[in-house]
Amino acid sequence: TLFRIQARRNKLLGHWAAQRMGLDAAETEAYARAVVQAEFEEAGDEDVVRKLLGDLTMAKVEVDEAEIRAALAEQARDAGADDVTVYAYARVGYHRSLDMLRRNGWKGHGPVPWEHEPNRGFLRALAVLALAAKAIGEDEEWERCATFLRDSSPAAADALL
């Protein structure tokens, strides 16, 4: 069911964040449960994104919303969400991170180096979007996203596609 997939996704997100924060095994399990519980604060995923962003920032982990949204799409895929759901999560992550890139001065073309850590959320969201598009038979979208990724960062395309 969707509920079980979301709970599994949130548990995986909790493990992802706990690893980034350097938590031990017991702390990781407790933290993953807290992320699962965060889902019940309001409808949608904003409560989970806010929790992760706040907790990671408080733990002095360099992270932004783009990276969290990319992880959300990746963990939804790994939790067994259907391809259309993964595509939807990746699309939101891609658009939110694209907006962040533009606010930071990117003009909509040119390199977005994988080697520059703050770019990785955008690049990961773009890669998950490309792969999800391919999985649902959106061949033109797959080609467009894969080409955009390769043009933005060949290293990211090599690592993620």
Side-chain angles (χ1 to χ4, degrees):
T1 67
L2 180 59
F3 174 78
R4 286 186 181 162
I5 290 170
Q6 286 177 326
R8 175 93 175 114
R9 178 206 64 194
N10 292 340
K11 182 177 180 181
L12 293 170
L13 280 167
H15 282 244
W16 170 82
Q19 187 260 335
R20 303 275 317 265
M21 291 186 281
L23 302 182
D24 66 29
E27 293 167 327
T28 293
E29 289 307 316
Y31 186 74
R33 283 191 300 276
V35 174
V36 170
Q37 287 298 313
E39 177 74 24
F40 303 113
E41 291 177 20
E42 64 186 58
D45 300 310
E46 298 309 308
D47 43 6
V48 172
V49 172
R50 262 194 319 277
K51 175 172 184 46
L52 292 167
L53 186 58
D55 292 348
L56 287 161
T57 301
M58 193 179 325
K60 307 282 190 254
V61 174
E62 298 245 351
V63 69
D64 60 19
E65 183 182 346
E67 190 169 356
I68 290 170
R69 289 196 180 275
L72 191 135
E74 292 164 343
Q75 300 307 334
R77 177 195 60 213
D78 294 350
D82 65 272
D83 294 328
V84 173
T85 299
V86 173
Y87 179 86
Y89 284 130
R91 190 137 197 91
V92 170
Y94 163 75
H95 281 291
R96 297 274 178 97
S97 59
L98 188 61
D99 291 344
M100 289 174 22
L101 275 177
R102 288 183 173 140
R103 279 194 305 271
N104 289 322
W106 188 67
K107 304 296 185 210
H109 57 83
V112 183
W114 175 251
E115 297 76 16
H116 184 62
E117 293 277 334
N119 293 337
R120 289 193 173 192
F122 166 74
L123 296 166
R124 287 175 40 223
L126 180 56
V128 174
L129 180 61
L131 294 168
K134 185 177 186 180
I136 63 173
E138 290 288 338
D139 296 334
E140 288 181 22
E141 179 81 349
W142 150 252
E143 289 294 332
R144 193 170 31 257
C145 292
T147 298
F148 185 19
L149 182 61
R150 191 158 306 285
D151 291 349
S152 298
S153 174
D158 289 344
L160 301 171
L161 292 180

